[in-house]
Structure formats: C-alpha cells, structure tokens
Amino acid sequence: MSREIILYDTTLRDGTQAEDVNFTVPDKVRIAEKLVDFGIHYIEGGWPGSNPRDIEFFQAVKKSRVPIDHIAAFGSTRRAKKSCDDDEIFQALLAAGVPNITIFGKTWDLHVTEALKITLEQNLEIIYDSIQYLKKRVDTVFYDAEHFFDGFKANSEYAIKTLQAAKEAGADCLVLCDTNGGTMPDELVDIIEIVKKEIGDYPLGIHCHNDSDCAVANSCLAVKHGIVHVQGTINGYGERCGNANLCSVIPNLQLKYGYKCVTPEQLRKLKEVSRFVNELGNLKHNIHQPYVGRSAFAHKGGVHVSAILKNSKTYEHIEPELVGNKQRVLLSDLSGKSNLIYKAKDFGLDIDPKDERLSDLLQQLKELENKGFQFEGAEASFELLVRKAIGNFQKFFDLLSFRVIDEKRSALEPPFAEATVMLRVGGEIEHTAAIGNGPVNALDNALRKALEKFYPNLRTMQLVDYKVRILTGKDGTKALTRVLIESKDDKDTWGTVGVAHNIIDASYQALVDSIEYKLFKDAYK
Ligand SMILES: CC(=O)SCCNC(=O)CCNC(=O)[C@H](O)C(C)(C)COP(=O)(O)OP(=O)(O)OC[C@H]1O[C@@H](n2cnc3c(N)ncnc32)[C@H](O)[C@@H]1OP(=O)(O)O
Ligand SMILES: CC(=O)C(=O)O
C-alpha cells in the first residue's frame, strides 16, 4: 500500500500574505468547504491574534459544513516578555476554539538575537513552554520551524536543538520551513537526512516558499525522503513569490510517485478547485499553470497534433482527465492538417485526411492568421470556414452593400448612428435601414431587420460581448483591428471574428458570421 500523505493547506493564512490576495470571511468559509470536499486534511484558517477578520472566520467556520477537526489556527510562540497566560496574541489561539493549533518558532540564531533580541537559551524555553502549554489544552499542535534550512546552514547544532525542544514539549509534527524559499533541492534533502538521524523516528512536515522556483520540487523530494505532512497553498499563493503550489504538489505525489493524497475522484476536481479559489480571490487564471491551466494540455504545433491524434501520450505527461482538465488543439499558422481534422471532429465533421481540399483550407487558414484572424474564442467562424471549404454549406443570404452613418449634430447631443443594408435572399432583394446607439449597433439592427422577415428565428439571438483589439499598435488610428463577438440564443453561445483596418468592416464580418452560424445551426444541427 502506498504511503498516505497529510495535506495541510495554508491558502487562507499564508496565501493571503500574497500582495494581491484577499478573501472576505464568507469567501474563506466557502474555500474551506471546497478544500475539505477535495480531501485536504488540515485547513489553516488564519492568525486569530492578528485581525478581526480571522477571529470572525473561526466563529463562522463552526457554522459551516466543515468538520472542525480539519481546521487549524495559526500563530507564533509566546512573546519573550510575556508568559503564555498573559500574552493576549497567544491566548487568541485558544480563543479560536479549534482542536488544532500551529505555532511558528525561531530556528535561525540570527533571528533569535537580531529579531527577537533574546538569548539562544531563552528561545528554546519559549518554544518548549508554548508547545507544552498548548498541548495541555488542544488535541494537536503543529510546530512550524521557521527558517529551518537557513538556520541549519548557519548553526546546525542550534537548529536541531530547537526541534528537540519542540519534540520534548510534545509537538505532533515538526514542520521544516524554507521560509525564505532559497534552498536548493540537493541541500534540502541532505539536511532532511541529517534531521532524521538527529531527531529519530518522529513525524516531520515541510513548508516551502518559492523564491528560487523550487517549492514544488522541494516539497515532493521532502516526501520521498520521509516527510509525512506537506504544507502549501492552492495555486501557490503566498508571501513574496508564493508557497508550494498544492495544485502541482498533489498530482506529482499521487500520479508520479504513487503516494496517496486524495481519492482519484477528488483529484478529478483539481482544476475546479484551482479555478474556484482564483474566482473568489478575483484573480486571473494562469493559463500556463501545470496540470490545471487551460493551456496545460493544449497543442499548437502541427507535429504535436499529428502525434497526439495517434497516441496522446506522445505529447502529454498524464491523461488530462485525471486532474479534471482536457486536451485542446489550437489553430494557428503553426497548424498542420491534423489540427484541422481534430477541430473539425469537435463540431461533428469527419474529414478524410486524404481529402485534397484540406491543403487549400490549411493555406487559407494560415493566410487569415497572418492577416490577424484568430480562431481561439471564435470557433463559430472557424466552423463556417471549414464547412464552406469542405462541408455542404448553403448560403442563407448575399450582402450586396451596406452604409453606416455616424453623425454628431451638435456638441451637446450624442452622435446619431444609422445603417442601411442591401441583401439578396433567394431571388428577393431586401433594402433596409435602422438606427442604433452606435454604428455597430445600427448595422446589427439593419441586418436583422432585413433578415428577420425570412428567418424569424433570428429574434431569439442576441449579442452578449463585443471586443475590439488593435493589432498593429504603432499605426495609431490607422491600425488593423480585430473584433470578437459573442452571441447566444436560448440553447447555445458562440464566438465569431472579423479583421479589417476599418472597425465597421471588422464588426460587419463578425456579425455576419454570427448570423450565418445561427441560421446554419438552427437548420442543420
Ligand atoms: C514566516 C511567516 O509567515 S510568520 C507569519 C507572518 N504573518 C504575519 O505577520 C501576519 C499577522 N501579523 C500581525 O497581524 C502582527 O504582526 C501581529 C499582530 C502578530 C503582531 O503585531 P505587533 O505586536 O504590532 O508586532 P510587529 O508585527 O510589529 O512585530 C512582530 C513581533 O512579533 C515578534 N515575533 C516574531 N516572531 C516571533 C515568534 N516566533 N515568537 C515570538 N515572538 C515573535 C517580533 O519580535 C516582534 O516583536 P517586537 O515588536 O517586540 O519586536
Ligand atoms: C511558518 C511560515 O509561514 C514560514 O516559515 O514560511
């Protein structure tokens, strides 16, 4: 049986020490619920001696569905000038009313003499005293040996003495912290090996920061060297460069090394958990994040796509579904025919790899990409392109002309926009005008007004997003523009794209694609 690893999440405490991370109390409670469902064993909720929000969290979480034995309160050893009874910050740990407490203490002699300004012996007493006091009052006391690796490098004998003080006082786990995040993996494992000899068979934990980009590697190696308890945060949030990212540590330990962290079903929620925490933190998802990012299993190069179509192992280190992610194929000027075949399958079109029209379509795609088209997010435009080249696409209308007027009649009035379109549907010519609150809206209104008579189902469609991007920044108002439109009806949402120097023309292309796609899907899908 594989060894079980205790997961200790500090997103709600060390995670919030990141410059851009803040959670309200209800957010913290929702995250705790999500983490417990995901299989995290301990959730460090905050430092109750620090601020009212963290105090409130410990009250609020008791009314949630998180079992209280999963919650830990965090703080420091008692202050040098106070006893455990008198130190109100220390007492706030007990007032939190949870069965698990984690306290950090000093390992590094530099910190003892420079930051705490006490003797090395006094620091050992503070560690012993604080842990012993807490152990008499709560079930579990974790001891975070702050700056353990730097402290060990500066004065190994003293660093070990601090751990011995914590062990003698009854700490349930001695957590070795790479607080400044500068320890290299080889140093880290050498030091862990020495600690094991000195401390004997005792539960050890790891808490790594990411200042040299080694936090995940260090945490995983620590486990390989006998550590049983791993601390980290979701998405690697944390002070400065962050903490060990549990969204990488967990799948690495479970899928690569065979340790048991969560159940396979829980692991399939990994991407969801990562996104949930980002959403509540109001932070952008990192598309390149290993395992959970949108690009983590996205293939762009034609050579890669050709190979994954034969066997996805050729360019994927795991099956994306194991962590709740999925394979994606991107279209670009680096695409080959395989990218087209794969994407066409997505919308139910099976293209024969030997179809001679594929080369022309690929060429067309590359020319469009070169002009500034991008089909990521505009899948409906791509589908129309493929169907027009290869499928049996039938035109619903032909545009003969359009005119858009945007007129400001006086300084105080908003501009007035009017559009006229002339189009042919079957044998009939339709010539229609409409107004709008801007030129694109007027054009949209005129197109629909002309077409709704023939295709009443267009009334169920609406535009939900409109984005303009300047593609040639140095050209000022002469720049090439790309317009992305998102439309929806009662069943689907779809994206379309247009590119032109004239923003109305770019909008027109994206609008027409959007209407054509709606008509096509209602008729044939
Ligand atoms: C490595 C880590 O991430 S540890 C966690 C760091 N997180 C935080 O600091 C966030 C929460 N902190 C806070 O809200 C505040 O710092 C408080 C409430 C804890 C303390 O506030 P203050 O009393 O105003 O002290 P201040 O923040 O200026 O300085 C920290 C004090 O803690 C002392 N201290 C630091 N580490 C320890 C320790 N392990 N044991 C005992 N005392 C400690 C320092 O010596 C300093 O005391 P001093 O003012 O007598 O020199
Ligand atoms: C305890 C802690 O957060 C650290 O040492 O980094």
Side-chain angles (χ1 to χ4, degrees):
M1 252 261 293
S2 55
R3 180 152 68 89
E4 185 159 358
I5 304 303
I6 305 296
L7 299 172
Y8 183 106
D9 178 279
T10 177
T11 307
L12 303 180
R13 196 277 299 175
D14 219 344
T16 64
Q17 286 177 222
E19 183 170 357
D20 49 354
V21 175
N22 261 302
F23 299 116
T24 61
V25 170
D27 287 345
K28 285 181 106 174
V29 172
R30 285 180 70 195
I31 291 173
E33 288 177 340
K34 194 81 177 171
L35 294 179
V36 95
D37 290 345
F38 177 56
I40 299 287
H41 305 99
Y42 292 99
I43 298 158
E44 190 171 82
W47 185 337
S50 161
N51 59 71
R53 181 172 29 188
D54 284 2
I55 293 175
E56 211 186 301
F57 167 78
F58 288 103
Q59 301 317 313
V61 80
K62 287 178 196 140
K63 297 182 198 121
S64 78
R65 59 184 173 76
V66 181
I68 202 64
D69 56 347
H70 284 273
I71 298 291
F74 176 86
S76 79
T77 48
R78 70 159 167 85
R79 280 173 292 172
K81 294 191 191 104
K82 305 212 175 195
S83 70
C84 293
D85 280 326
D86 299 338
D87 185 337
E88 63 291 354
I89 296 183
F90 190 75
Q91 284 298 320
L93 283 166
L94 292 168
V98 295
N100 312 300
I101 291 181
T102 302
I103 52 167
F104 74 97
K106 300 291 186 193
T107 315
W108 191 354
D109 53 6
L110 172 86
H111 266 265
V112 178
T113 54
E114 299 292 318
L116 298 190
K117 298 225 174 287
I118 55 173
T119 66
L120 298 185
E121 200 48 46
Q122 276 174 304
N123 180 50
L124 296 179
E125 280 163 25
I126 286 176
I127 295 170
Y128 180 85
D129 215 18
S130 308
I131 296 172
Q132 205 199 33
Y133 185 94
L134 293 175
K135 256 319 268 184
K136 288 188 188 135
R137 291 163 174 84
V138 292
D139 297 343
T140 312
V141 178
F142 296 123
Y143 176 64
D144 280 2
E146 195 195 13
H147 293 111
F148 182 76
F149 297 92
D150 293 313
F152 186 93
K153 283 188 262 176
N155 183 345
S156 56
E157 199 186 324
Y158 184 70
I160 295 291
K161 277 189 182 166
T162 63
L163 292 186
Q164 267 153 354
K167 176 181 164 184
E168 279 159 27
D172 291 277
C173 181
L174 309 176
V175 184
L176 312 180
C177 300
D178 186 24
T179 307
N180 291 3
T183 306
M184 292 290 113
D186 55 336
E187 296 176 299
L188 181 117
V189 297
D190 287 350
I191 295 174
I192 290 175
E193 285 305 321
I194 300 172
V195 170
K196 285 191 320 197
K197 280 199 198 100
E198 297 287 338
I199 296 295
D201 186 17
Y202 206 77
L204 295 177
I206 189 82
H207 173 114
C208 291
H209 278 265
N210 201 32
D211 302 66
S212 42
D213 218 359
C214 293
V216 169
N218 280 347
S219 306
C220 296
L221 275 175
V223 170
K224 287 210 87 176
H225 283 260
I227 256 98
V228 295
H229 159 128
V230 178
Q231 301 197 353
T233 60
I234 299 299
N235 299 325
Y237 298 163
E239 185 97 30
R240 303 183 308 279
C241 310
N243 286 55
N245 181 357
L246 289 179
C247 294
S248 297
V249 171
I250 294 172
N252 280 349
L253 289 179
Q254 189 143 327
L255 300 175
K256 303 298 169 85
Y257 289 156
Y259 294 106
K260 181 175 178 322
C261 296
V262 293
T263 66
E265 294 69 40
Q266 286 167 326
L267 193 59
R268 276 193 273 281
K269 300 274 182 204
L270 186 70
K271 182 175 173 201
E272 185 186 317
V273 170
S274 156
R275 293 177 86 81
F276 182 85
V277 174
N278 277 337
E279 289 295 339
L280 294 200
N282 203 16
L283 291 160
K284 262 178 83 173
H285 307 298
N286 170 6
I287 62 168
H288 304 292
Q289 192 171 325
Y291 290 104
V292 296
R294 195 170 136 73
S295 300
F297 301 94
H299 305 280
K300 188 167 171 187
V303 169
H304 293 222
V305 176
S306 155
I308 57 143
L309 282 179
K310 292 164 194 142
N311 183 338
S312 53
K313 275 193 186 144
T314 50
Y315 283 98
E316 284 173 5
H317 68 130
I318 59 155
E319 285 170 34
E321 291 72 22
L322 294 176
V323 290
N325 211 335
K326 63 173 190 195
Q327 184 182 76
R328 291 169 61 231
V329 164
L330 308 174
L331 291 164
S332 73
D333 53 359
L334 301 178
S335 296
K337 289 181 201 133
S338 306
N339 300 57
L340 288 178
I341 294 169
Y342 183 103
K343 287 301 259 191
K345 263 208 184 89
D346 267 0
F347 48 78
L349 193 62
D350 268 323
I351 308 182
D352 180 350
K354 294 193 204 83
D355 191 322
E356 283 170 5
R357 292 169 296 182
L358 255 180
S359 301
D360 288 344
L361 177 60
L362 187 61
Q363 188 57 30
Q364 198 188 352
L365 177 75
K366 292 198 176 201
E367 279 163 19
L368 287 171
E369 289 267 348
N370 194 34
K371 280 187 195 158
F373 279 81
Q374 208 204 55
F375 293 96
E376 199 50 46
E379 270 89 1
S381 287
F382 175 72
E383 183 173 341
L384 290 173
L385 184 79
V386 176
R387 288 195 183 276
K388 283 176 187 171
I390 284 175
N392 51 351
F393 185 82
Q394 301 216 322
K395 278 191 148 193
F396 293 87
F397 61 93
D398 288 299
L399 182 92
L400 303 177
S401 66
F402 75 72
R403 185 172 58 195
V404 178
I405 303 166
D406 200 24
E407 187 184 355
K408 188 149 178 87
R409 290 171 178 164
S410 79
L412 296 175
E413 282 177 89
F416 169 85
E418 182 186 1
T420 52
V421 296
M422 189 165 11
L423 35 84
R424 183 172 36 229
V425 182
E428 260 188 74
I429 302 280
E430 188 67 25
H431 191 190
T432 312
I435 56 169
N437 60 7
V440 176
N441 180 238
L443 184 61
D444 184 25
N445 291 342
L447 278 168
R448 286 156 180 267
K449 195 167 159 191
L451 288 167
E452 271 173 17
K453 186 170 123 192
F454 305 95
Y455 304 113
N457 53 331
L458 285 180
R459 290 193 190 103
T460 61
M461 163 182 155
Q462 50 174 299
L463 195 140
V464 281
D465 199 7
Y466 172 87
K467 287 194 198 100
V468 182
R469 174 100 193 262
I470 301 301
L471 298 179
T472 47
K474 63 181 178 2
D475 293 340
T477 46
K478 282 200 289 184
L480 190 63
T481 56
R482 176 164 65 221
V483 168
L484 273 175
I485 284 181
E486 195 178 305
S487 309
K488 71 166 197 171
D489 60 13
D490 38 5
K491 288 198 212 92
D492 304 295
T493 300
W494 62 98
T496 52
V497 62
V499 174
H501 282 101
N502 181 319
I503 192 172
I504 304 292
D505 191 20
S507 308
Y508 163 74
Q509 295 167 20
L511 278 174
V512 167
D513 269 9
S514 172
I515 292 172
E516 279 195 320
Y517 184 77
K518 161 77 177 160
L519 296 176
F520 172 79
K521 83 181 185 71
D522 282 2
Y524 298 104
K525 284 198 152 191

